[in-house]
Amino acid sequence: MKVSLVYQEVPYFEDVSKVFAAFSKLPWAVFLDSGRPVSPYGRYEIFSAIPKKTFVTKGRQTIIHNGDHEEIVFDDPFSLLSQELKKNDEFNSPLPFTGGAIGFFSYDLGRRIERIPNLAIDDMDMPDMAVGIYHWAYVADHVEKKATMVGNMSEPRVRINWEDFVANASQQVEQELMPYKSLSTIQSNMTENEYSNKFSQVKSYISAGDCYQVNLAQRFSLDIEGDPWDGYKKIRTINPSPFSAYINIPQCSVLSASPERFLQVENNRAETKPIKGTRPRAKDNHQDLKFAQELKASTKDQAENVMIVDLLRNDLSKCCVSNSVKVKKLFEIESYPTVHHLVSTVEGKLSDHTSPIQLLRECFPGGSITGAPKIRSMEIIEELEPHRRGLYCGSIGYIGFNGRMDTNIAIRTLVQKNDKAYFYAGGGLVWDSQVDAEYQETFDKAAAMFKLFDH
């Protein structure tokens, strides 16, 4: 079918969340958010809903919905998306997204790539992949101060709904929502003593030469009530982050305030921005600056960071032109409302005939949240963490028909299933790590989620 893209400028609002509000209850509503107007990061924000087709993977099978038609297949999920997302120059545009895939890839989708033991309990029963194929989108450009609706009029459901979409995207909506709040105390899946024992096991593996670094995380859970969109609106003000996202699908709701880019592809250039190294923020400006300077100067955090930089250089090199992979920035400080982070930037030129989805598969899951070497670290994580991670440390983002991609690492991310909410926090353990500091760091990283439920 011939592509017939239409672009329509709509009023620009800096707070796109109030525009998306009118779309938040639509089927498969997705909002890729930069945390504006509070966050200074992030140029674009994108939202859409009512995809033409959806892919939901669990274990070996993928359920494909296309209108009223349902099909169950057992192909590799990345291959399924590759077939769907063949680059089409008709979608080229200055806009980052003009149609394509938006959704999430759970950490456990890595089992379709690597052989990992099945030891942890899968009590959340999360999809390993949940992706919609969207043929329209709202795109806000916070540099140009413009907002554009783009739609493929060759698609009947876009053509039929276009006037309503444009009308709703031209205004901000104030809503009365059922408050999002806890109905129970927040429980961890490990005690401090259990964390300490697992920490010691990681140290033993490092001493034995099995690994150099392992990301160990604890999971928090609680009973909740209220509208998850209300919860997301609160979390984006508590902890505005450049790679945030809200996803509302039948299987779950996702509230992500991630500060970390996993992979971006733009003009055949691939970029990843691993975070390794964290300090809490302080209310006192002098103490806050001291924390940031301490992080910048920490040889332990630099060593931890460079291990992951090397891992990601190797991952990118699988799909990039020889000798094109470079470390653009090393050990930069990025500061967010609850923490300071040590961030590096690695980039390379994609090889000819290598698609963004192939790059995603080769690098998945992100090395910054597994450890080094990656596969052995994943085996140790499976052994030590009581429950499967689900979406935590997976990825959320878009892959367009135009060959562009931007995805996050799904940290600082809450998943709601039925009336239960789950969120994780962890950190990379190396030989120099101290158990008390690492345990406290998990709470520093989860501070925004705890604040969400602090009544």
Side-chain angles (χ1 to χ4, degrees), residues 43 76 91 126 149 156 164 202 204 225 245 254-255 258 278 288 323 366 398 431-432:
R43 175 173 180 176
D76 177 84
F91 286 90
M126 277 287 291
M149 290 286 289
D164 287 340
V202 171
S204 295
E225 70 173 7
V254 175
L255 293 63
S258 174
T278 303
D288 192 55
N323 298 319
Y398 70 81
W431 179 248
D432 291 340

Side-chain angles (χ1 to χ4, degrees), residues 14-16 33-43 45 142 236:
E14 193 170 16
D15 189 348
V16 173
D33 178 17
S34 70
R36 297 275 182 155
V38 182
S39 169
Y41 303 101
R43 175 173 180 176
E45 290 177 335
H142 292 297
R236 78 187 296 273

